[in-house]
Amino acid sequence: MVTLLHIDSSVLPGEVSSSRSITNVFRKAWEEQHPQGTVIYRDLAADPVPHITAAAWSAGFTAPSERTPEQSAAFAAREKLIEELEQADAVLIGAPMHNYSIPSTLKAWLDNVFLMGRTAGEAPSAQGTPVTVVASRGGSYAPGTPREGFEFVLNYLEAVFKGALGLDLDFIVPELTMAPRNPAMSELVPLYEASRERAFEEAAGMAKELAERFAAKTA
């Protein structure tokens, strides 16, 4: 049985959220291919993980036998998140752009699972695990656009997921999601719709591609 770790972080609920709508398409396609599989789901907006504290951080660099009760309790919460990442065969993350960066709840999750000498460092414990990130954004920050310099999501997540954690990273990037809501962007609605449709197709395609990859490994 394969395990998918699915994380959403948009503050918007259900289909109102572009990132949630697209991760949902990926997850459904994944479950069709893996009806007996396991999905570990975390909604970081509805149930945020604790921001990392001094006790939780220092416990990661302290031998278990030498930890204070406070450190042990704080690290137990971190270890659960770390183990979910390590045990996953694939990871799916909704990471909408909030004020040019990722949601603070997703950053809190990353701070908890990022542990030098275990998940990060010379031999990351989840190295090679495929991670698909749906990085939706209200405008366009693609190369050549006026706001290209305000793109702090893709480059940051690439540095963390690929560079530090050693994960096999893919992005799905639906753009212009504010066009239907902002009258000043009304002329961009067709581009938004095309980007959204392309994102849905990519989500379903990537899920099926991953399923085929796992099937080939077990054949």
Side-chain angles (χ1 to χ4, degrees), residues 18-19 22-23 26 92-97 132-143 145 151-155 157-158 169-177 191-203 206:
S18 291
S19 64
I22 294 162
T23 59
F26 184 106
L92 171 65
I93 297 177
M97 179 184 282
T132 304
V133 176
V134 178
S136 56
R137 59 272 319 278
S140 179
Y141 300 82
T145 61
E151 164 50 65
F152 302 113
V153 173
L154 304 186
N155 52 4
L157 292 180
E158 183 169 3
L169 175 64
D170 280 308
F171 285 111
I172 299 174
V173 188
E175 296 188 317
L176 305 170
T177 62
L191 292 177
Y192 151 74
E193 291 174 342
S195 177
R196 180 179 173 85
E197 186 61 31
R198 184 166 56 250
F200 282 141
E201 293 174 358
E202 289 178 355
M206 287 182 181

Side-chain angles (χ1 to χ4, degrees), residues 38-121:
T38 299
V39 176
I40 299 171
Y41 181 59
R42 284 194 174 272
D43 185 339
L44 298 181
D47 187 18
V49 302
H51 285 277
I52 197 164
T53 62
W57 179 83
S58 60
F61 302 96
T62 304
S65 61
E66 298 177 3
R67 290 173 186 160
T68 66
E70 182 185 11
Q71 286 178 315
S72 295
F75 192 75
R78 283 190 73 185
E79 187 148 42
K80 180 174 176 58
L81 299 173
I82 289 172
E83 288 177 350
E84 288 177 352
L85 175 62
E86 292 174 334
Q87 293 167 6
D89 295 289
V91 182
L92 171 65
I93 297 177
M97 179 184 282
H98 286 186
N99 302 318
Y100 308 119
S101 186
I102 62 173
S104 62
T105 52
L106 182 55
K107 179 61 164 61
W109 178 82
L110 283 169
D111 286 341
N112 275 279
V113 301
F114 192 112
L115 180 57
M116 191 60 65
R118 182 168 172 177
T119 59

